[in-house]
Amino acid sequence: MFSVTRFCFSLTSCFLLTGAAVAQQLPKPEAKPQTEKPATVVPAPPLSLEEALRMGLQSNYGILISRRDEEIASNNVTRGNAGQLPVVSGNALRTFNINNSRQQLNNNDPRVVRGGKANALAANANLNWTIFDGLGMFIALDRLRTLEQFQREVTRNTVEQTIADITDAYYAVVRESGKIKSLEEALNIGQARIDLTQAQVDVGLTAKVNLLTAQVDFNADRSLLIQQQELLATSKINLNNLLSRAPNVDFQPTDSIVVARGLNHDAIAQAVRQRNPRLQQAQLNTDVATYDRRLIRASRYPTLALTGSYGLTRNINNAIFINTPDGSFLGSNVSRVYGPSYGVQASIPIFDGFNRTRLEQNARVTELQTKLQLNQTQLQLDAELEQAYVRYQNRLQLLQLEEDNIKLARQNVAIALERYRLGLLTPLDLRVAQNTQLAAEVRLLDIRYDAKQAETALRRLSSGLVQEQ
């Protein structure tokens, strides 16, 4: 019994040693370097993040529309629009008449005129200049300036949001491109597995079923790669849309995802209170409501205005009967009146059905409402800041963990591939190691992208994405 067992053990050891010796003679597959460009990515013009932001600021439709609104608000800030300048208007009237007239006195024969011609000319220039309206014109000018500043904050918010969107979209392309590289690496490992398994089948060290399994796994990875190519194309279309260019324009991102790790919570919170455009808009909205209330209050005071005009009136009638002691005869009449006029106009509101009181009460309610909205905006920004900072800190921890983990996963695959070549590892274990590395690569890319998104959100809240010149 002992001899039989010893014989079997010796036979098994001999078989394993023979298989290992043969496996060592098998060629090692050449792994594709991580930095090499994937064969599935078509060469395209490079595009950096800085260039993408420059293109977006110049051509994004949301920014262009907001800037036109800002231009309109700026054009509205004039003393004339506030009512501080006089209003001068000119009028002219020129008429021509062809009259048929019939005149009969007592029992005399009627006098008939057919086709009598007459014409009239009237021209005048009027001036109206309000010199006092309860200081309403000065309040109106301050209100227009506040509305201009409000629209500037709207534009700045649009610019910052667009920059954040372009940044996220750009790094989304970088992430999807990185996943393609990871899948390419997985295909390299899969191809190496097929080559090793084919060599083992050729020398009789393994069954053909292992080769078929390796090919099935390889095709599954190719399917994932095709799906990933679609995600990459979708990400590029999204970025092109933000840049206001044709969706089929191809490009290759040149910047990698680098996450800043030193953002300070207190500094960001202070910047949010000082520079956040949403908070500035809420404050300016409160100022506009205050000006509206003051305008209604100013309408209670008397209004004093200077008026003046210069006019000319001329009438010519070529068919008029002139009565004299000797009788009546047909003649012409020409009259002309011209000269200046001036005066002072005063208007005093006495009673309007308490409408001004009602409007002022509503204005006070609106003013209080805007103050509540200001406090609400501040509270929302504080909540968004805390959420973004917690997410940022969490993603930094996960990023460090995944960066350490990917090194272990790559080492594990290299060892597993070598052990498989030596016949010391099963195909299933090699596939598990391969999937583990691929999952680690994908997690690292996703976490790095999420961390960059969290960083971008913090910078957007603190208005750090746009530096005002």
Side-chain angles (χ1 to χ4, degrees):
M1 180 67 180
F2 176 76
S3 60
V4 175
T5 305
R6 183 176 180 182
F7 173 77
C8 292
F9 177 77
S10 301
L11 181 61
T12 304
S13 301
C14 182
F15 176 77
L16 292 176
L17 292 174
T18 304
V22 174
Q24 288 179 353
Q25 298 177 0
L26 296 178
K28 291 186 178 181
E30 295 182 0
K32 190 174 183 180
Q34 288 278 345
T35 58
E36 185 176 344
K37 187 175 183 180
T40 53
V41 177
V42 180
L47 178 67
S48 65
L49 177 60
E50 181 180 357
E51 185 179 359
L53 293 176
R54 179 184 58 80
M55 294 173 59
L57 291 175
Q58 292 179 353
S59 59
N60 181 269
Y61 286 112
I63 295 178
L64 294 178
I65 293 173
S66 184
R67 284 175 176 168
R68 299 292 82 76
D69 292 337
E70 182 181 348
E71 185 177 355
I72 292 174
S74 179
N75 293 336
N76 288 335
V77 183
T78 62
R79 294 186 179 275
N81 193 25
Q84 296 183 8
L85 299 181
V87 177
V88 180
S89 61
N91 302 287
L93 176 65
R94 181 73 163 145
T95 60
F96 298 89
N97 299 324
I98 300 177
N99 301 321
N100 298 320
S101 62
R102 182 178 182 276
Q103 186 182 41
Q104 184 175 6
L105 299 176
N106 297 328
N107 294 326
N108 297 328
D109 294 336
R111 294 182 175 85
V112 178
V113 177
R114 300 184 183 278
K117 296 182 178 180
N119 64 79
L121 170 65
N124 61 76
N126 300 317
L127 178 144
N128 188 285
W129 189 1
T130 301
I131 58 177
F132 180 78
D133 63 347
L135 303 180
M137 63 182 71
F138 300 99
I139 298 173
L141 182 60
D142 292 337
R143 181 180 182 274
L144 291 173
R145 289 170 177 167
T146 304
L147 288 175
E148 179 189 18
Q149 184 63 32
F150 179 87
Q151 187 56 48
R152 287 178 181 174
E153 294 298 328
V154 172
T155 302
R156 187 161 69 93
N157 185 55
T158 304
V159 170
E160 291 185 353
Q161 184 61 54
T162 302
I163 290 177
D165 292 341
I166 292 176
T167 302
D168 290 342
Y170 182 89
Y171 286 127
V173 176
V174 175
R175 178 185 62 173
E176 303 304 335
S177 299
K179 289 183 179 181
I180 284 185
K181 294 179 181 179
S182 298
L183 288 170
E184 281 281 346
E185 181 64 21
L187 287 177
N188 289 337
I189 298 173
Q191 185 62 54
R193 176 186 168 190
I194 292 175
D195 295 340
L196 286 173
T197 306
Q198 181 66 58
Q200 291 174 354
V201 170
D202 293 341
V203 298
L205 293 179
T206 187
K208 189 175 180 179
V209 65
N210 291 332
L211 177 61
L212 297 177
T213 303
Q215 292 175 340
V216 169
D217 292 338
F218 182 82
N219 289 335
D221 291 340
R222 289 185 61 189
S223 176
L224 292 176
L225 179 60
I226 294 174
Q227 298 176 44
Q228 184 58 39
Q229 288 173 334
E230 178 184 351
L231 294 177
L232 176 60
T234 301
S235 299
K236 289 184 176 181
I237 292 173
N238 183 36
L239 180 57
N240 285 330
N241 182 47
L242 292 172
L243 301 182
S244 299
R245 60 181 188 174
N248 59 348
V249 176
D250 197 11
F251 60 92
Q252 182 66 28
T254 59
D255 292 335
S256 58
I257 304 178
V258 179
V259 182
R261 302 174 185 259
L263 298 184
N264 182 268
H265 178 275
D266 295 337
I268 294 175
Q270 183 179 4
V272 168
R273 292 182 179 273
Q274 293 178 351
R275 300 196 302 264
N276 185 272
R278 287 167 50 194
L279 190 61
Q280 297 298 322
Q281 290 176 49
Q283 180 61 59
L284 292 171
N285 199 30
T286 301
D287 296 340
V288 171
T290 301
Y291 287 131
D292 289 338
R293 176 183 59 80
R294 292 176 59 189
L295 280 173
I296 296 174
R297 187 174 183 82
S299 66
R300 293 180 178 273
Y301 292 90
T303 301
L304 187 64
L306 298 178
T307 62
S309 66
Y310 190 95
L312 168 65
T313 303
R314 186 187 69 180
N315 293 301
I316 299 177
N317 191 347
N318 293 323
I320 185 173
F321 288 103
I322 300 176
N323 298 320
T324 65
D326 299 331
S328 300
F329 63 91
L330 191 65
S332 299
N333 182 26
V334 179
S335 65
R336 183 175 63 181
V337 178
Y338 62 93
S341 64
Y342 52 90
V344 178
Q345 179 182 356
S347 176
I348 302 175
I350 298 177
F351 181 75
D352 65 347
F354 303 107
N355 282 324
R356 284 187 177 85
T357 301
R358 173 182 58 82
L359 293 175
E360 189 171 0
Q361 290 175 346
N362 291 341
R364 291 183 183 277
V365 173
T366 302
E367 185 179 9
L368 177 60
Q369 186 180 37
T370 56
K371 292 180 179 179
L372 294 175
Q373 292 173 346
L374 174 61
N375 295 333
Q376 183 185 31
T377 302
Q378 180 65 68
L379 185 62
Q380 289 177 345
L381 289 174
D382 290 342
E384 291 179 15
L385 171 60
E386 294 302 323
Q387 292 174 354
Y389 196 78
V390 169
R391 182 187 176 197
Y392 171 72
Q393 292 289 343
N394 178 269
R395 293 304 184 272
L396 287 183
Q397 296 179 16
L398 292 175
L399 179 58
Q400 184 62 48
L401 178 63
E402 293 299 336
E403 286 177 347
D404 296 337
N405 187 56
I406 192 62
K407 299 176 183 177
L408 301 176
R410 289 172 179 171
Q411 292 177 6
N412 185 41
V413 168
I415 295 173
L417 191 60
E418 181 63 20
R419 286 174 58 84
Y420 183 75
R421 190 179 69 85
L422 296 175
L424 302 177
L425 194 71
T426 64
L428 179 60
D429 291 334
L430 178 59
R431 180 61 177 176
V432 170
Q434 179 187 3
N435 288 337
T436 301
Q437 178 182 343
L438 180 59
E441 295 274 5
V442 172
R443 284 199 312 272
L444 177 60
L445 290 169
D446 289 338
I447 291 300
R448 186 173 289 155
Y449 175 75
D450 290 346
K452 192 62 180 180
Q453 272 192 320
E455 177 196 339
T456 303
L458 288 174
R459 295 188 185 278
R460 180 178 59 83
L461 286 172
S462 60
S463 296
L465 295 177
V466 177
Q467 298 296 332
E468 292 184 352
Q469 300 297 329

